[in-house]
Amino acid sequence: MTVQQEAPTGGAGEAGEPLEVWIDQDLCTGDGICVQYAPEVFELDIDGLAYVKSPEDELLQDTGATTPVPLTLLQDVVDSAKECPGDCIHVRRVSDRVEVFGPDAE
């Protein structure tokens, strides 16, 4: 389930371009830094790993599940990706799925 909201450029291309975020649980260390930065977007599950949440606050546990990056939380999500010890947080443009923040960002 991917719902789109607008976010500023921040390296993402055209202003207002929708971004989405996902977590690679295979690399997640369960450190919880992402939850500290953006609890509206990330949550630790009982398995000790972080997952993204839907805009309706539903934990999305499917492999590769994405959620929109709300404009108001963009910096917190980007900081989560930068500070993640597992390098498992990926932020990409919705339009072409190019990663703009995270370990595979160009």
Side-chain angles (χ1 to χ4, degrees):
M1 174 173 148
T2 300
V3 179
Q4 301 172 5
Q5 293 182 1
E6 291 186 354
T9 53
E14 297 297 316
E17 189 164 5
L19 299 176
E20 62 188 6
V21 61
W22 67 281
I23 295 177
D24 182 345
Q25 279 77 30
D26 290 338
L27 300 175
C28 181
T29 62
D31 194 85
I33 289 175
C34 57
V35 177
Q36 293 174 9
Y37 276 105
E40 303 88 347
V41 177
F42 305 107
E43 183 176 323
L44 290 176
D45 197 18
I46 59 172
D47 63 3
L49 302 177
Y51 294 86
V52 294
K53 299 191 302 186
S54 74
E56 293 78 29
D57 207 36
E58 173 189 354
L59 195 66
L60 303 176
Q61 295 176 298
D62 292 337
T63 302
T66 64
T67 197
V69 178
L71 175 63
T72 57
L73 297 175
L74 177 59
Q75 190 60 54
D76 293 334
V77 171
V78 169
D79 289 344
S80 296
K82 288 179 180 178
E83 298 297 325
C84 177
D87 284 331
C88 65
I89 300 173
H90 303 266
V91 181
R92 64 187 178 200
R93 290 188 300 253
V94 172
S95 62
D96 59 7
R97 300 175 65 100
V98 169
E99 187 163 322
V100 292
F101 300 105
D104 299 330
E106 298 175 1

